[in-house]
Amino acid sequence: MSKNRNLQVGVVGLGFIGPAHIEGIRRQGVEVHGIAEFTPELAREKAGQLNIPVAYSCYEEMLKDPAIDIVHICSPNFLHFPQAKQALLAGKHVVCEKPLTITSAEARELVELAKTKQLVNAINFNLRFYPVNFEARHMVNKDDFGKVLIVQGSYLQDWLLYPTDWNWRLDLDQGGSLRAVADIGSHWIDLVMFITGLKVDEVFADLKTFYPIRKKPVSRVETFSNKEQSVAIDYEDKQIETEDYGSILFRFENGARGIFSVSQMSAGRKNRLFYEIDGAKSAVSWDSEHPNDLWVGHRDRMNELLVKDPSLMSDEGKAVSSYPGGHAEGFPDTFKQLQKKVYAYILKNDFSVEPDFPTFTDGYISLQIEEAILKSSQTCSWVKIYE
Amino acid sequence: MSKNRNLQVGVVGLGFIGPAHIEGIRRQGVEVHGIAEFTPELAREKAGQLNIPVAYSCYEEMLKDPAIDIVHICSPNFLHFPQAKQALLAGKHVVCEKPLTITSAEARELVELAKTKQLVNAINFNLRFYPVNFEARHMVNKDDFGKVLIVQGSYLQDWLLYPTDWNWRLDLDQGGSLRAVADIGSHWIDLVMFITGLKVDEVFADLKTFYPIRKKPVSRVETFSNKEQSVAIDYEDKQIETEDYGSILFRFENGARGIFSVSQMSAGRKNRLFYEIDGAKSAVSWDSEHPNDLWVGHRDRMNELLVKDPSLMSDEGKAVSSYPGGHAEGFPDTFKQLQKKVYAYILKNDFSVEPDFPTFTDGYISLQIEEAILKSSQTCSWVKIYE
Amino acid sequence: MSKNRNLQVGVVGLGFIGPAHIEGIRRQGVEVHGIAEFTPELAREKAGQLNIPVAYSCYEEMLKDPAIDIVHICSPNFLHFPQAKQALLAGKHVVCEKPLTITSAEARELVELAKTKQLVNAINFNLRFYPVNFEARHMVNKDDFGKVLIVQGSYLQDWLLYPTDWNWRLDLDQGGSLRAVADIGSHWIDLVMFITGLKVDEVFADLKTFYPIRKKPVSRVETFSNKEQSVAIDYEDKQIETEDYGSILFRFENGARGIFSVSQMSAGRKNRLFYEIDGAKSAVSWDSEHPNDLWVGHRDRMNELLVKDPSLMSDEGKAVSSYPGGHAEGFPDTFKQLQKKVYAYILKNDFSVEPDFPTFTDGYISLQIEEAILKSSQTCSWVKIYE
Amino acid sequence: MSKNRNLQVGVVGLGFIGPAHIEGIRRQGVEVHGIAEFTPELAREKAGQLNIPVAYSCYEEMLKDPAIDIVHICSPNFLHFPQAKQALLAGKHVVCEKPLTITSAEARELVELAKTKQLVNAINFNLRFYPVNFEARHMVNKDDFGKVLIVQGSYLQDWLLYPTDWNWRLDLDQGGSLRAVADIGSHWIDLVMFITGLKVDEVFADLKTFYPIRKKPVSRVETFSNKEQSVAIDYEDKQIETEDYGSILFRFENGARGIFSVSQMSAGRKNRLFYEIDGAKSAVSWDSEHPNDLWVGHRDRMNELLVKDPSLMSDEGKAVSSYPGGHAEGFPDTFKQLQKKVYAYILKNDFSVEPDFPTFTDGYISLQIEEAILKSSQTCSWVKIYE
């Protein structure tokens, strides 16, 4: 009998990202026992659509259900903190969407609470789990890569290009005081720290809101779904206080330099995270719109191009690949791979072992960096992270 | 309550492709009730690994279980015919891996049996279900594409490059008298017929076995796993009667010309299906190693590049996309999308409607073409399909 | 003083390709002494545009000019044979555009005449001279590439896509009885023979004229310039007897298989020659629309991607590169590199040495293969080349 | 007779870039009359190699030669100012390599001198002259592109990756106090200003010297040739005061944001300039290692990919294309196209017309921005350009 058999999962929040969690969970033969939503009606509707056995009347009910071992938090950003805190207090392991919280102080509270409660805590920095990103980490840490010198990249989308594009993330109260940086920039920052193993020492940022006024539709809009609106809708003017775009410079602890742009207004870029990491001997680069390819740059011999292939990869890369070479894995697969490591860790039941997945601590570091980015943008100066 | 709720699936064959079926089934909230394998022990072992409730002692036992609505046949090729026939006779709907059977006569028998029994029958030509392939079909059928003139392409792999590479597919008795053509070429042929809507009229083929003798390891080897062998193993010489490579020319019913190469010995190509379809006004091309991109060629304006994005696609393309633009979908997603259509069709329970997924008839046509290819190769002449 | 100083070149034919020759010649500091055209007026007009000292009243006058060492023949195909013959008889070295002649019998006559006359003879298979093609040849001939097994590819253009597209090449009398195969297919065939060093043993072809009637404008049209026509023009119907498209299969002397498609009706492909050469250990592929990149495929390690870089290339590749790594070289550079080798050979004045550029012999072989292709297409059977 | 006939050009400096100028000049049928170098011997040697009629004993002699209409200055950076000044004073038109001078004050002096003397002055920002860059400019300035919002990019090379790499540009006295920024960064800055038509308002920079000590070979090394050194050589330690790398942020006059990284230590990037310009409606991006491709991004329809093709381009793009669609043009072609415009302008002899090529004014602006970059890097603050 498989070790995963008895894990039972509850999911709160069934917008864009909740169903992606559910697919991943199910692929491993782990049961999604029940879900919770803003209202009991919505929970029942989503449970019906997604074939979930239980629709809880509210989140609190889910937390009281002893059948639930793990809670996946997929709600809007401002709910992550209270919901994660409640879950930990209820003795549940937690997989939380990013950002972990709105402030780093909240994040620190969660880190400490999880530690006290001895509960497994994961944050869904899922992009690490494209197999070639594990492979990139393996390569960057080998001697023949050399010291990391430069970390470059961008995370670009176009779904908020027009002043008529709307989503709850544009609302300061629901999304927090950073938007592009928090929603997608945080993925890039986490990913390059994961791959290089380097800490960010200080940041300099220039954030820009191209549309200080946007037009909000009167009815509710799910993330990404705005682009498929076809019927005429009513709008109201809304002041926007979060950034559409950011330029961010980094100085890493080892002296390496970083440069990163993040945008939700780059026409034609649907969801493109790009990085290039330049070492003293070699380089790697990756583009999330072609996620099975890894470019490896060399000075003295031909560059290399890895098409994801377990037979050509290290044990680390293999461990997060499910399909043979040339069989493309995609965005949904990253959820499965992250969860697989989290669940295996829970079942192993030895929490003295360093987790091999992103934890609340990563979420906390991420928020510290984001707060420094915001401060830098406001003060036009370099801001240290750990002060 | 979702319509999928009560469907119960059984899977036979848990080599490389069976688990891919299972992931797809589960992602839809449909239960994999039980599995069967060569031996009861193997079934139990796989059921444990994959968290499957029931491990049948044999395939026959699965067919007798009234809980099972649908059987997925994922066994080696030579078992497809007897297992599909048994399943239909037992009143189960069937999703069969390709090739449907070894001979077209067998395939025709299954087509007729399924019709008599009024059972849903699908063949897993899953590659159709990359969203941009549906979009390509949509484009090719629009007036501004023009009449299809040329269909070009290849399906290339490298996992049988060395004479020491071995797999059951190399064995004439298990795999059939065509190998590269049947295993992967059939996908290409089905895909271009699906997209263009054209029937193949005649074929000309030149098949080649570069290694008439290969070295077979004494122990069993799963598909694709040979490439990860690291320890020294014992071999025995085996005569190879199936092709490592094929060049195939097509003449389509509308006068269009086709050209296709298929190889399992092309170094560096892990699993690359490529097509280019040239119409009288525009062209499309696609490469399965970058499955979210579709190239659209024009004469009088810039070429276009679609990055899979439901907001930019037709209803047909949208229907098989689960994630927003730029969120890569991959090989495992194609299983889910195909099954989703099959299961919806079963639940709708109106078999007078033309199925919107590949059926045994497609498997039969595929075998007719393959037999013509083999005959052409033996006679060095053009061979008509329908005679 | 440089050895090239005293060479004086004459060019006949100043359509699309003549000026490309002239640029190449001049880049080496070699003087284009004079040109000839259909009429004295046209010669003067072109000489004025191109800053050429002498406009001969006719080709014969050019041949009589003792100042001329070398003649470049850039006229329409049907003139290559008489003009090359005259030039050799006049004691001039010859660089001839391809195809060398209309028939292989004519080509053989030229090969023999050049030999008798002890004159340097080159044919402008310029595509060999992209630096990475020399590098591909170097790689293919190394032990770690293994025996060549498969040669795949295509040469696709779209400039004759519409039935209203016209060019002298469509005219049987001026272009010869093969069109796409002779004009561009011949480049591909020469290139893969150059890289692999293999001779073609037999061919099978399926040629297709999609538009048996085309509309010819009443006024004259230069090659490629049709696509820029904007004004309405008068047309007359013309019967087309040459192929718009061809599928061609090859069997090489070592048992390798070849497959090639050639088309002037593939929308979006402006001028794309593609090859992939699969060896028993590695593979190479190249695309003329990205001519500085060479893909190298491997089974047991990552694929490689060479961006043209003399510092990473063999002596052979370096010798035909003028610019450092990453400084793209293009179509016009291939003319310069070919001519550089031809002129150096002339100046070295030792004709016992094997030429390191394509000669009339290559032009002759090319025509033999083309004639076999035509015959195969007519007889629907494999045709041996050397019989 | 062509208008270019009588122009006579002199070239000073025959290192890496001088011969590239010469090829371009010759391709137009313009004569390179003579050259000058550091020593008469070197001039004679280079003249012999390059088939140049006259080798001047010194630069002053060239300037005295009344046959010379135009001087191309291809010397090391520190000589640009004195040589350009002398040339203007001698009444010669000047085409100068970039950077125009070491300081912006010198550049302003040259701008004024050229104006006073009524002489044509060009700076070799040749990268503008890839045809698709002219096309990008055309697109960005059309209404359907929208206001420019974001300008992103990088210019990366790897030829100074190792501490043993050496070149005169590393020497503060010869190259100036900026290196990567001045040598290659200046190309990027000029190019994006050219395409967008926007002025830079202020900059923020973080420059980094990864190797404060490099090893200088005792013998002389030409640009880029270090990578081909194979024999052991003697080194001496040299302190490096110029940057290996720079991160630069821009604020443009219209509120647009810019972000740019420049590096000579990025393994595998041979000479890669990349930009992406995001407008309120569409976007364009380009990569100099694939210089014939232009990507055009859209939000509401498929992205586009232009393969350089005069028949698909605007008059501006066509004017700098010499070859038909799909016939790749490269780095050397940009020299030809720039010179073609300069020479035509000279021959037209109406200096009241706005030049359609980069002039000393562009070189001056470039230096102003570079000085602001240096100052920003030293002060860690945003620095305005025009103060």
Side-chain angles (χ1 to χ4, degrees), chain A residues 31-257:
Chain A
E31 195 189 352
V32 180
H33 190 77
I35 59 171
E37 251 295 353
F38 281 112
T39 65
E41 294 70 32
L42 190 55
R44 275 196 299 276
E45 183 195 325
K46 294 280 182 180
Q49 282 166 16
L50 296 160
N51 295 338
I52 309 283
V54 180
Y56 295 103
S57 62
C58 65
Y59 180 57
E60 288 68 25
E61 192 188 11
M62 179 194 280
L63 295 183
K64 281 181 198 144
D65 187 341
I68 298 292
D69 300 299
I70 313 160
V71 171
H72 283 239
I73 299 172
C74 304
S75 315
N77 299 352
F78 75 102
L79 291 172
H80 295 179
F81 173 64
Q83 291 185 341
K85 189 170 169 181
Q86 284 174 278
L88 292 172
L89 289 170
K92 309 297 189 191
H93 303 298
V94 179
V95 175
C96 189
E97 259 307 321
K98 31 71 40 193
L100 181 56
T101 56
I102 300 297
T103 71
S104 69
E106 293 165 344
R108 182 152 56 181
E109 190 180 332
L110 292 182
V111 168
E112 281 161 12
L113 182 59
K115 197 174 173 187
T116 308
K117 289 283 193 175
Q118 292 261 338
L119 289 164
V120 173
N121 52 97
I123 181 164
N124 192 38
F125 281 131
N126 65 303
L127 300 188
R128 294 186 184 187
F129 286 82
Y130 279 108
V132 301
N133 284 334
F134 268 70
E135 200 59 23
R137 186 174 69 150
H138 175 79
M139 287 178 186
V140 166
N141 286 287
K142 286 194 304 181
D143 280 351
D144 59 4
F145 190 82
K147 182 182 157 183
V148 170
L149 303 176
I150 309 167
V151 181
Q152 316 185 47
S154 55
Y155 198 147
L156 310 178
Q157 298 180 332
D158 71 1
W159 67 296
L160 296 176
L161 179 61
Y162 300 144
T164 49
D165 293 319
W166 187 263
N167 181 267
W168 59 260
R169 292 160 197 265
L170 286 158
D171 192 327
L172 195 71
D173 297 335
Q174 286 193 62
S177 45
L178 285 169
R179 181 183 8 118
V181 171
D183 279 349
I184 56 176
S186 58
H187 271 299
W188 188 90
I189 298 168
D190 177 74
L191 186 55
V192 303
M193 291 192 299
F194 169 69
I195 293 173
T196 63
L198 291 178
K199 282 187 179 155
V200 174
D201 199 42
E202 51 185 335
V203 295
F204 181 90
D206 184 31
L207 307 184
K208 176 76 179 177
T209 306
F210 289 113
Y211 291 123
I213 303 285
R214 281 180 181 258
K215 302 202 163 287
K216 180 182 177 176
V218 173
S219 56
R220 189 164 162 279
V221 179
E222 272 188 12
T223 303
F224 286 110
S225 67
N226 60 303
K227 298 198 331 190
E228 296 187 49
Q229 296 294 353
S230 50
V231 292
I233 37 181
D234 284 337
Y235 294 103
E236 53 182 329
D237 277 7
K238 279 282 179 181
Q239 196 162 337
I240 301 299
E241 290 166 64
T242 53
E243 78 288 357
D244 293 317
Y245 169 79
S247 295
I248 305 168
L249 305 186
F250 297 87
R251 289 176 176 163
F252 291 93
E253 54 178 354
N254 77 337
R257 290 310 195 245

Side-chain angles (χ1 to χ4, degrees), chain C residues 197-245:
Chain C
L198 293 177
K199 282 187 180 157
V200 175
D201 199 43
E202 50 185 334
V203 295
F204 181 90
D206 184 31
L207 307 184
K208 176 76 178 177
T209 306
F210 289 112
Y211 291 124
I213 302 285
R214 282 181 180 257
K215 303 204 163 285
K216 179 181 177 175
V218 174
S219 56
R220 189 165 161 279
V221 178
E222 270 188 14
T223 302
F224 286 110
S225 66
N226 59 302
K227 297 197 332 188
E228 297 188 49
Q229 296 294 352
S230 52
V231 293
I233 38 182
D234 284 338
Y235 295 102
E236 55 181 328
D237 277 7
K238 279 283 177 179
Q239 196 162 339
I240 301 298
E241 290 167 65
T242 54
E243 78 288 356
D244 293 316
Y245 169 79

Side-chain angles (χ1 to χ4, degrees), chain D residues 31-44:
Chain D
E31 196 189 353
V32 180
H33 191 77
I35 60 172
E37 253 294 354
F38 281 112
T39 65
E41 293 71 31
L42 189 55
R44 275 198 298 276

Side-chain angles (χ1 to χ4, degrees), chain C residues 124 126-127 129-131 330-339:
Chain C
N124 192 38
N126 64 303
L127 300 188
F129 287 81
Y130 279 108
F331 179 77
D333 300 272
T334 61
F335 287 75
K336 180 181 82 171
Q337 301 296 351
L338 183 148
Q339 295 160 355

Side-chain angles (χ1 to χ4, degrees), chain A residues 2 23 48 51 290 293 336, chain B residues 2 23 48 51 290 293 323 336:
Chain A
S2 156
E23 281 201 317
N51 295 338
H290 297 99
D293 291 352
K336 180 181 82 171
Chain B
S2 157
E23 281 201 317
N51 294 338
H290 297 100
D293 292 352
Y323 290 89
K336 180 182 81 171

